Amino acid sequence: MSEQTASTTGADGPTTGATARGEQTRQLILDTAMRLFRERGYARTTMRAIAQEAGVAVGNAYYYFGSKEHLIQEFYAGTQHEHRAAAAPTLARERDFAARLAGVLHAGVDVLTPYHSFAATFFKTAAEPTSPLSPFSSESSEPREASIALFREVLEGSTARVDAELRPALPELLWLAYMGVVLYWVHDRSPGQVKTRQLIDGAVPLVDRLVGLSRLRVLRPVTRQVLTLIYTLRH
């Protein structure tokens, strides 16, 4: 039987053998690509090299991933899933806004740490405004929205009291702050990127204080200016 149609029946009901094999092949190609990106850099790694290293035909590699960009989008989705899982204990335990935010930011760095050696060379491509690999591109919209949703969970599960006008936009602002942390992490050459950890620990109390102050009447004009800027940039 062909890989597309072969099936078996297991204890939990019908399963498709081809689907399982296909997922294994897909994961093998992705894992191989990530390893080669770390070892050789993104620009110097070709789909042919990925296929050869994974032991699959080039056409098979393209069947699962139409290009290197598709591999990176899969990487984005995977790391976002890992980020949410790594942050889950903090979000389940903490109600204080600062503690929740710090936990999520540190969890993000934890997930990214194995890719630090490859991040700098990859960032040269992702930083191009027209690159589909940019976290701001339309191609990256799904993992971007998932990440913003995680920061929305940080806010909504907390006891923070936020200005009513600011609250809907705050998760996106927190995601932008996270992008700033990631950018700093990419260029952080301190042992274990300890300076990035220090940046998080120093910045979170400031963010927490600003969020609290947003409710003061005297700061509402500033809040509206920030929201207007976000709207302008988005549209």
Side-chain angles (χ1 to χ4, degrees), residues 13 17 32 34 44 55-57 61 64 68 72 83 87 99 118 144-145 149 169 174 181 192 195 200:
T32 301
M34 292 302 107
R44 296 179 58 191
V56 302
Y64 290 103
K68 288 196 299 181
I72 293 297
H83 188 184
F118 133 74
R144 179 174 63 250
E145 291 303 322
L174 295 175
V181 170
K195 288 186 177 180
I200 292 172

Side-chain angles (χ1 to χ4, degrees), residues 58-222:
V58 176
N60 207 16
Y62 276 110
Y63 172 79
Y64 290 103
F65 300 98
S67 66
K68 288 196 299 181
E69 287 79 7
H70 285 89
L71 282 160
I72 293 297
Q73 294 299 339
E74 188 78 9
F75 167 70
Y76 283 167
T79 53
Q80 177 53 41
H81 179 77
E82 291 178 40
H83 188 184
R84 175 170 287 279
T90 295
L91 296 180
R93 182 180 65 250
E94 302 288 350
R95 287 294 172 265
D96 178 71
F97 174 74
R100 289 169 70 84
L101 179 58
V104 168
L105 293 176
H106 279 297
V109 174
D110 290 340
V111 168
L112 292 174
T113 292
Y115 306 99
H116 189 261
S117 60
F118 133 74
T121 55
F122 163 71
F123 183 75
K124 293 178 182 178
T125 301
E128 289 290 332
T130 58
S131 172
L133 304 183
S134 167
F136 302 96
S137 69
S138 58
E139 291 85 350
S140 301
S141 61
E142 187 171 338
R144 179 174 63 250
E145 291 303 322
S147 188
I148 293 173
L150 178 58
F151 287 102
R152 185 174 298 113
E153 188 174 342
V154 168
L155 176 62
E156 292 179 350
S158 76
T159 56
R161 300 176 68 185
V162 187
D163 178 82
E165 289 187 69
L166 178 62
R167 179 175 284 272
L170 187 55
E172 186 172 353
L173 288 172
L174 295 175
W175 174 76
L176 288 171
Y178 174 56
M179 290 295 98
V181 170
V182 171
L183 176 60
Y184 186 90
W185 170 83
V186 166
H187 297 284
D188 186 0
R189 292 296 177 264
S190 62
Q193 293 74 60
V194 65
K195 288 186 177 180
T196 301
R197 305 290 186 170
Q198 292 171 346
L199 172 64
I200 292 172
D201 291 337
V204 165
L206 295 176
V207 173
D208 183 37
R209 184 162 179 78
L210 287 171
V211 168
L213 291 174
S214 70
R215 299 178 64 250
L216 297 180
R217 185 182 300 274
V218 69
L219 290 180
R220 285 178 183 171
V222 177

